[in-house]
């Protein structure tokens, strides 16, 4: 018969927390740093598993313009309140493999020296949850780990985002592994179950944008009060895509995040300077380029994108910061899609500004 409310309350406190952290997350949470391919085109995040069966833990794979080692990319969100998911639930193991792993882990914990009291009771109830169809939480349990349904679904479990610095957020997916039939969506109460928009956010987190080194004329060394032209060619500066995908038996999701450059902002590195336009923000042209290349005969014109220094840099240089704003969108499985916060990425370039020497006769 189902357990009563007082037992549920007992098992939801410290004993259950101990059980989850000591037993479950050791096998279901992120197990190691993502490893990029030789070409640097993909990376993987894996749920750890001792199993060698066909129902191996699902992986998130990254492809396109992503970091080679699986670390956080170089995009900064324009929305300071936006963050990628710190953790999620994803397909973990099939019924047979899950039973082998859980049975082994529970037995090992129960036989550990000093195991007893609340922790021992929690382990016993955890075991009953997966062996007894009545369970011990607000949802039904599983008869014999659902082995009679092996191949028809998978147990889903928590995966931590290794790039999330806050350990409390990273470990906030603390529900017990739950069963999901192949082709079915996870129960609605599991709001952190992996879905296309989460994959899009993870692709955003791993995205690697090209360096933002603008072409200058004059290049590197300019003169006081001399307009300096700045531009980015479309040929070397175009939209960028990153894809995140997860695949398991009966379950396949993916999302592609696209970054399109829309503006360049110039910060001269000194208050004694002017920018063109005055805002310092150069819009993208119809052909996808930014600014306009300098050419002979344009010396008397004002550059559509550029700057003018009003004093010398002396024996040093000014640090010109060129930051590109990228418009971020995504598309995913099932026709899903939408917008993500704009991203920015920039570099600093050293500019020497010299006085124009004149001789009075």
């Amino acid at each position: 018969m189902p357990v009563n409310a007082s037992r549920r309350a007992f098992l939801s406190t410290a004993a259950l927390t101990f059980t989850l952290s000591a037993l479950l997350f050791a096998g279901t949470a992120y197990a190691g740093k993502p490893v990029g391919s030789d070409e640097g085109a993909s990376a993987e995040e894996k749920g750890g598993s001792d199993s060698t069966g066909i129902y191996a833990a699902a992986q998130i794979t990254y492809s396109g313009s992503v970091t080679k080692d699986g670390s956080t990319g170089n995009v900064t969100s324009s929305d300071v309140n936006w963050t990628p998911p710190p953790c999620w639930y994803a397909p973990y193991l099939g019924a047979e493999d899950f039973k082998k792993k859980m049975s082994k882990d529970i037995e090992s914990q129960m036989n550990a020296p000093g195991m007893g009291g609340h922790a021992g009771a929690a382990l016993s109830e955890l075991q009953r949850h997966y062996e007894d169809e009545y369970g011990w939480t607000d949802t039904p349990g599983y008869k014999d780990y659902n082995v009679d349904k092996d191949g028809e679904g998978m147990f889903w479990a928590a995966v931590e985002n290794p790039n999330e610095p806050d350990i409390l957020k990273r470990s906030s997916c603390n529900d017990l592994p739950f069963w999901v039939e192949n082709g079915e969506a996870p129960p609605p109460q599991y709001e952190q179950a992996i879905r296309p928009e989460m994959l899009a956010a993870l692709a955003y987190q791993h995205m690697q944008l090209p360096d933002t080194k603008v072409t200058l004329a004059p290049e590197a060394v300019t003169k006081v009060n001399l307009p300096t032209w700045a531009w980015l060619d479309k040929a070397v500066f175009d939209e960028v895509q990153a894809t995140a995908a997860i695949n398991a038996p009966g379950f396949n999701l993916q999302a592609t995040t696209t970054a399109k450059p829309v503006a360049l902002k110039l910060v001269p590195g000194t208050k004694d300077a002017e920018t063109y336009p005055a805002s310092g923000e150069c819009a993208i042209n119809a052909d996808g380029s930014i600014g306009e290349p300098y050419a002979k005969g344009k010396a008397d014109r004002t550059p559509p994108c550029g700057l003018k220094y009003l004093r010398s840099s002396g024996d040093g240089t000014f640090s010109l910061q060129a930051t590109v704003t990228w418009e971020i969108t995504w598309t995913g499985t099932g026709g899903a899609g939408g917008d993500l916060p704009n991203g920015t990425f920039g570099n600093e370039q050293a500019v020497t500004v010299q006085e124009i020497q004149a001789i009075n006769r």
Side-chain angles (χ1 to χ4, degrees), residues 10-340:
F10 161 72
L11 289 168
S12 65
T13 56
L16 179 54
T17 300
F18 168 84
T19 303
L20 288 173
S21 61
L23 177 60
L24 297 176
F25 289 153
T28 62
Y30 176 77
K33 206 174 180 186
V35 179
S37 71
D38 292 340
E39 295 77 24
S42 67
E44 298 179 351
E45 285 180 11
K46 304 178 181 180
S49 171
D50 293 334
S51 170
T52 57
I54 62 171
Y55 305 123
Q59 303 173 356
I60 293 182
T61 58
Y62 298 95
S63 59
S65 184
V66 294
T67 56
K68 293 182 179 181
D69 61 356
S71 59
T72 298
N74 59 12
V75 191
T76 299
S77 171
S78 61
D79 183 352
V80 296
N81 297 314
W82 180 88
T83 58
C87 63
W88 55 89
Y89 296 102
Y92 178 48
L93 294 172
E96 287 280 4
D97 289 337
F98 184 72
K99 178 180 179 180
K100 291 176 184 177
K101 178 164 181 56
M102 287 294 292
S103 298
K104 178 181 177 182
D105 290 348
I106 290 174
E107 181 181 359
S108 175
Q109 290 288 330
M110 284 183 167
N111 292 333
M115 181 60 65
H118 289 347
L123 283 168
S124 295
E125 292 296 341
L126 177 65
Q127 184 178 39
R128 192 163 79 86
H129 177 65
Y130 291 109
E131 293 182 352
D132 189 333
E133 61 185 313
Y134 293 114
W136 52 269
T137 63
D138 291 328
T139 56
Y142 305 96
K143 184 178 180 181
D144 192 25
Y145 294 87
N146 265 9
V147 292
D148 62 329
K149 297 182 179 180
D150 193 43
E152 299 176 13
M154 295 188 74
F155 279 99
W156 286 41
V159 180
E160 296 182 358
N161 184 344
N163 301 109
E164 168 56 56
D166 189 327
I167 189 172
L168 294 179
K169 292 180 180 179
R170 197 168 65 237
S171 59
S172 61
C173 297
N174 51 22
D175 282 317
L176 291 170
F178 54 92
W179 180 261
V180 179
E181 297 283 342
N182 291 339
E184 297 292 330
Q189 65 264 35
Y190 297 105
E191 296 180 354
Q192 290 166 292
I194 196 72
R195 52 187 184 275
E197 52 265 43
M198 296 171 70
L199 289 173
L202 290 169
Y204 187 130
Q205 183 181 33
H206 291 277
M207 180 176 280
Q208 191 77 6
L209 297 177
D211 288 341
T212 310
K213 185 172 182 179
V214 297
T215 303
L216 301 175
E219 182 180 359
V221 178
T222 187
K223 306 295 183 182
V224 173
N225 292 323
L226 177 67
T228 298
W229 293 59
W231 68 92
L232 286 165
D233 291 327
K234 180 180 184 298
V236 295
F237 200 72
D238 210 341
E239 69 177 30
V240 170
Q241 289 189 332
T243 297
I246 184 169
N247 299 285
F251 182 83
N252 298 281
L253 285 182
Q254 75 169 27
T256 296
T257 297
T258 301
K260 180 180 179 181
V262 293
L264 168 69
K265 184 174 180 62
L266 300 176
V267 178
T270 174
K271 291 186 289 186
D272 296 317
E274 296 176 357
T275 56
Y276 308 108
S279 65
E281 296 183 2
C282 306
I284 191 168
N285 301 319
D287 65 355
S289 63
I290 296 178
E292 180 182 324
Y294 176 77
K296 188 176 180 180
K298 296 181 178 180
D300 295 332
R301 291 175 49 187
T302 298
C305 179
L307 64 162
K308 179 171 67 176
Y309 287 99
L310 306 179
R311 69 176 177 88
S312 167
S313 60
D315 295 331
T317 59
F318 292 128
S319 293
L320 168 64
Q321 185 175 48
T323 301
V324 174
T325 296
W326 299 74
E327 185 178 79
I328 313 290
T329 59
W330 70 276
T331 57
T333 300
D339 297 328
L340 288 167

